């Protein structure tokens, strides 16, 4: 997506189908399955084990999920307007696609190197025996 945006800046026309496929994938896999599992299961379990995580790492990840959804909504809106003839929307397609891609890169880094490692540590703790 980033490479395509670079080409759009250089004058390439918008491949509407390409961006519709990205939107579909994000909504029907990344958000529907991946983010929902984190939001409805993992983050709740982690918060039960360590309340401090709820206002720290977890809150940050939830905010990034919401930002990602906003970028995808804005991307779709710009794409629809572009498809209906407003060629100025190309700039907004690029802006939202790049913002989403950069957010996702950082988000995955945090998942892999912070959140999931913390989850393993917190969830591997054995209950104390009385």
């Amino acid at each position: 997506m980033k490479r395509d945006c670079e080409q759009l800046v250089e004058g390439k026309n918008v491949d509407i189908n390409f961006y519709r496929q990205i939107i579909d994938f994000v909504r029907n896999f990344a958000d529907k399955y991946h983010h929902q599992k984190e939001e409805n299961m993992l983050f709740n379990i982690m918060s039960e084990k360590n309340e401090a995580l709820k206002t720290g790492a977890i809150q940050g990840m939830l905010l990034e999920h919401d930002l990602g959804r906003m970028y995808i909504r804005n991307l779709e809106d710009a794409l629809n307007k572009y498809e209906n003839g407003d060629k100025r929307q190309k700039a907004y397609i690029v802006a939202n696609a790049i913002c989403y891609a950069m957010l996702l890169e950082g988000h995955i880094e945090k998942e892999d190197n912070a959140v999931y490692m913390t989850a393993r540590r917190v969830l591997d703790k054995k209950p104390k025996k009385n």
Side-chain angles (χ1 to χ4, degrees):
M1 185 164 58
K2 284 172 63 176
R3 277 192 302 272
D4 192 73
C5 285
E6 291 166 0
Q7 293 170 357
L8 291 175
V9 169
E10 296 295 323
K12 177 185 172 213
N13 289 327
V14 175
D15 181 347
I16 293 169
N17 187 51
F18 174 71
Y19 285 95
R20 294 234 183 266
Q21 288 175 340
I22 290 169
I23 292 166
D24 182 65
F25 176 78
V26 169
R27 286 188 175 148
N28 292 305
F29 175 75
D31 203 35
K32 186 176 181 180
Y33 292 103
H34 178 78
H35 293 155
Q36 292 305 310
K37 283 182 183 179
E38 289 176 336
E39 292 174 8
N40 297 325
M41 296 169 56
L42 179 63
F43 294 164
N44 291 331
I45 295 167
M46 289 174 68
S47 294
E48 288 172 9
K49 300 282 185 177
N50 184 336
E51 185 71 24
L53 293 173
K54 192 173 196 173
T55 58
I58 292 171
Q59 187 175 25
M61 297 304 279
L62 291 171
L63 174 64
E64 289 184 3
H65 288 179
D66 287 342
L67 279 171
R69 291 176 186 123
M70 180 194 71
Y71 291 135
I72 293 299
R73 272 192 317 272
N74 291 346
L75 174 59
E76 182 177 45
D77 183 54
L79 194 61
N80 289 338
K81 290 175 182 175
Y82 181 87
E83 191 172 30
N84 287 324
D86 185 356
K87 300 308 178 198
R88 297 172 301 170
Q89 294 298 312
K90 184 177 184 181
Y92 299 100
I93 292 168
V94 170
N96 284 286
I98 291 290
C99 285
Y100 181 77
M102 293 176 70
L103 173 72
L104 195 59
E105 288 171 352
H107 187 80
I108 291 168
E109 175 78 18
K110 288 176 200 153
E111 284 178 340
D112 291 348
N113 297 311
V115 174
Y116 295 154
M117 293 175 96
T118 300
R120 282 190 199 107
R121 189 178 68 250
V122 168
L123 300 178
D124 283 346
K125 288 183 180 177
K126 305 261 189 262
K128 294 180 183 178
K129 293 184 179 182
N130 293 336

